[in-house]
Amino acid sequence: MRALLSSVTVALVVVLAGCGEDVGASQPGGGTVSTGVTVTEEASREPSATETEPPRPPGGTPSAPVSLSPDGPVVPEGVRQVPSSQVDASAVPEYYDHRGEVWVYDGGYSLQMFAAASSGCGGVEARVVDQSAEAVRIVVRALPAPQGGSPDDPVCTTVITPRPVTVALDAPLGERRVFLAGGR
């Protein structure tokens, strides 16, 4: 977050400098012109491991950090798998690859799992249908894919394809149970 703030601050200085005089530019007679923007050393410093960022406000669809390789899920640093004892995927069809695997990240506010698309061109979605102090209920489903298409469209295989889906929570997951269901 601080790195982003630093980048925005530097960009603002560059923009302001480009709109008028250079920041701190010498003027005839020995004076300088200031744009009123102060860049401090604090803005460019990376946060230490002991500093914590404020909680992320919920909303929006987070990006999916976990990807798939031929050897299985590739989980980046800062993302952890939710223990299987905390996930109930009994309502998800058996043919789902990575059934019941859920990852938590973004300070506990975001979850990722994989849903099964009905073809190589099909999409999927996940949505939170209920959240309480004890549980989060999520429905994952394949999106309908139109038949046919234009001659320039790629050929779509009719193979069930795992696709990443994410949801944003109103509060960090913590010890809440995750209930997954397949939907239509």
Side-chain angles (χ1 to χ4, degrees):
M1 182 73 174
R2 286 182 189 246
L4 177 62
L5 183 57
S6 297
S7 298
V8 169
T9 301
V10 170
L12 182 59
V13 168
V14 170
V15 167
L16 288 175
C19 289
E21 311 294 320
D22 288 337
V23 175
S26 295
Q27 294 295 304
T32 59
V33 173
S34 173
T35 61
V37 175
T38 304
V39 178
T40 64
E41 187 64 32
E42 177 68 23
S44 63
R45 183 180 64 81
E46 289 295 320
S48 71
T50 59
E51 295 174 345
T52 59
E53 292 190 28
R56 177 186 68 78
T61 302
S63 61
V66 179
S67 60
L68 291 177
S69 78
D71 297 325
V74 177
V75 182
E77 193 172 316
V79 176
R80 71 172 178 83
Q81 188 167 358
V82 177
S84 60
S85 61
Q86 196 175 340
V87 178
D88 180 342
S90 61
V92 174
E94 291 286 332
Y95 58 82
Y96 269 51
D97 284 344
H98 309 287
R99 181 176 180 262
E101 294 178 3
V102 178
W103 292 270
V104 62
Y105 61 103
D106 199 17
Y109 281 95
S110 299
L111 299 179
Q112 179 188 335
M113 66 267 352
F114 287 91
S118 59
S119 75
C121 298
V124 295
E125 75 174 358
R127 63 185 162 87
V128 175
V129 293
D130 185 43
Q131 295 184 63
S132 69
E134 295 81 32
V136 174
R137 297 184 189 285
I138 300 168
V139 171
V140 293
R141 71 180 188 114
L143 297 174
Q147 294 292 318
S150 72
D152 297 334
D153 285 346
V155 175
C156 295
T157 59
T158 54
V159 158
I160 295 174
T161 307
R163 299 244 192 264
V165 290
T166 61
V167 294
L169 304 177
D170 292 338
L173 178 63
E175 298 301 314
R176 294 187 287 173
R177 289 204 27 119
V178 177
F179 291 88
L180 298 174
R184 294 244 176 242

